[in-house]
Amino acid sequence: MRTAQPDQPSSGPHAAPDPSSRVPNLDAGTAESPAAPPLGEPGRETLEREEAWRRAEALAARRASGEEPPRDPHSGLAHPDLARQAFAALSENVRDYAVFLMDPDGIIIFWGEGARLMKWWSREETEGGHLRLLYPDGGSEDGTAEEHLLQAARDGEYTGEGHRVRNDGSTFWAGVTLTAMRDPGGTLIGFGKVTRDLTARRAADAALVAAHEAAEQARRHAEEASQMKSLFLATMSHEIRTPLNAIMAYTEILGMEMAGPLTPGQRGQLSKIRTSSQHLLGIIDDVLDLSRVEAGRMVVGRAVLEVDVVLAEALSLVEQPAAERGVELASLVSGLASSLTAWGDAERARQILLNLLTNAVKFTPAGGRITVSAGAALQPPAEARLEGEGPWVYLRVEDTGKGIAAERLDAIFEPFVQADMSLTRQHGGSGLGLAISRQLARLMGGDLTVRSTEGTGSSFFLWLAAAPAEMVRAGMGDQAVADPGSTAVLREVRDAIFAEMERLLYAFVARLRSDPATPNAHARSEAELEDHLASFLSDIAQTFGAMDLAAGSDADLMRDGSDIQRRISERHGEQRARLGWAESEVVREHEILAEELAAAIRRHVRRERPHEVEEMIDAVRQFLSAGARVSLESYRRAVGDPHPLA
């Protein structure tokens, strides 16, 4: 058919317009000119949008004033032929959706090609059938066909998801929208339905949920396994420590010759027992440290530490064993290196360095050399797992030992693994030191790395974030300390008792000789007044430093003290009775001891949170209270008191 051009007249003056000759008027609308707008002026598209906004505003204003504007010829109901053709084109050509029509009773009257491709039902099978043929028997998860038709008729639309049935009896997960259609008078004339196949999406969602649940379950199992392992380690450590503490206590009692004098040979055997017990106690402490780290209960401080001070303190603790093995210790920390400062926990950094130095002494043969040094680096080596931009400070411990095979460099940082794992290895140990040291380094924001050449020696590097030296001089630093039950605080208190021992004993004796409430002490000798007090306090310090208050398992120990504390307290009460002391004097001297011990701890342990120190002092006082109770019971028995303490 020939199509007339828009600007050509019809073939006759009275001929009717040929519908097929109609083409779009490209200049329709509100844009004034089809020509390109001047540079910088809005185009026809922008003008059309502005007109749309004005049209809507005008209609809204008329409705707001109570006037109902007449229907625009371009809006509202479409021409019936246009509507029919549009729906047919939509239902036949859209492939992602099934589109079909039903009469007011739910009988399918139009079945599109998109519906056939999705549901596999042909037009011959569906047109004339009820909507329920697409539902499983008894309806789907979202209800029945009848319920959905009633809801759409009542509310205007039903939207939901559920299984629908294909031609072969198989099902798929459908997302449906069922819409009621009414004539201008409001009479229901039928329903339109749009369906989308959501099976793939639902399967993907289910797979994601399953994967998430599997990952969550695996995480829970891993956490439970880690907690069980940590609990096992902590429990076993406590179970082993109980008889070990008894062994050490009785060793001390024998050493004090409470059961009679000892021969030189017996003293030598006791010394070996004491050394072996201390070694075993160190292994138990390592196991507990590892369990704390893995359980997330190991908290480290963050403050500015001085590299040369930490290194010097660690070196001083290995000088004697190095000399005994004939190994030379050399420090190259001088000049600029001696002024380096870093962020970290000084106690933990010293613990790491002590472990590295102890290992170096152990694995370096006589005549060998251990060298410590320090420096700074803008870019750490690739093997260091560090976060942040730096700069970084390193502390290096280098030895001339046998070295470590390349294939074992990573394994040595695993728990219970050593460089030499052969059955004929020459050096003992639990294999926990390096694992704990690396964990502590990473808790401080640093790392622990190693370089080694087999047959030549090894170099271990402790990496920490550098800190400005001015912060040390200004006493600044973000000190994030552990909770009161953490190992760091416990050991600080232990170290404080040892460090302040002489001063504490001197102050205690001086106060007894001058206090009006202890007249029997004024003329007594220093030995009589101390009466094995140093051994008593030393045992408290050892017991306290090895405890794990955070685990809540040491309450009985704190209440009763160790065997050696009880034995010394009993002896003390008996001795005070022999010296003729009054009971009030025994009570007063324990008060003085508690005051002096608290003062000693406060002098030595300085933290930004003073309440933590006081909590530790309260814990130590519980040991002293137990000792005072035993001492008074022993005193009353010695003086023949018929009513000893309950």
Side-chain angles (χ1 to χ4, degrees), residues 349-578:
R350 182 167 55 251
Q351 179 181 347
I352 294 170
L353 290 170
L354 180 58
N355 178 262
L356 297 179
L357 288 166
T358 302
N359 284 347
V361 170
K362 185 193 309 182
F363 291 102
T364 302
R369 179 185 176 93
I370 299 172
T371 306
V372 296
S373 58
L378 292 175
Q379 184 67 37
E383 64 266 23
R385 197 178 78 180
L386 299 168
E387 297 181 1
E389 299 180 356
W392 304 93
V393 168
Y394 66 83
L395 297 85
R396 175 170 51 196
V397 176
E398 184 178 10
D399 64 61
T400 58
K402 60 185 298 185
I404 305 167
E407 64 271 15
R408 298 201 59 80
L409 286 179
D410 291 332
I412 62 173
F413 292 106
E414 297 297 324
F416 307 106
V417 173
Q418 291 188 329
D420 179 9
M421 294 298 292
S422 65
L423 294 176
T424 58
R425 63 179 184 170
Q426 300 176 351
H427 307 285
S430 63
L432 293 175
L434 289 177
I436 296 170
S437 295
R438 173 172 273 187
Q439 293 280 8
L440 290 175
R442 289 176 175 175
L443 284 174
M444 290 188 289
D447 202 2
L448 184 63
T449 62
V450 61
R451 293 179 182 177
S452 186
T453 303
E454 199 167 8
T456 302
S458 305
S459 294
F460 286 85
F461 296 81
L462 171 59
W463 296 90
L464 296 171
E470 302 80 46
M471 299 187 75
V472 175
R473 292 192 290 271
M476 299 170 62
D478 179 19
Q479 180 73 25
V481 298
D483 61 279
S486 72
T487 308
V489 183
L490 292 169
R491 290 180 177 172
E492 282 188 57
V493 173
R494 176 198 64 189
D495 294 344
I497 296 174
F498 285 135
E500 296 280 333
M501 184 69 73
E502 293 301 323
R503 182 175 178 181
L504 192 158
L505 294 176
Y506 177 82
F508 172 73
V509 170
R511 287 190 60 182
L512 282 181
R513 286 174 171 170
S514 60
D515 195 294
T518 56
N520 275 296
H522 295 178
R524 293 295 175 181
S525 67
E526 184 175 329
E528 287 176 313
L529 295 180
E530 288 184 4
D531 188 34
H532 291 92
L533 179 59
S535 297
F536 178 76
L537 294 176
S538 295
D539 192 72
I540 287 180
Q542 287 284 11
T543 306
F544 192 74
M547 286 173 57
D548 186 14
L549 294 182
S553 59
D554 293 296
D556 291 340
L557 180 61
M558 293 177 64
R559 183 176 63 250
D560 299 331
S562 72
D563 284 345
I564 192 169
Q565 292 166 39
R566 286 194 296 273
R567 290 294 298 272
I568 293 177
S569 295
E570 289 173 354
R571 174 189 173 118
H572 178 81
E574 295 169 355
Q575 188 249 25
R576 291 312 194 233
R578 288 197 306 271

Side-chain angles (χ1 to χ4, degrees), residues 60 209 248 311 347 489 532 641:
V209 170
M248 297 177 68
L311 274 173
E347 171 71 18
V489 183
H532 291 92
D641 190 332

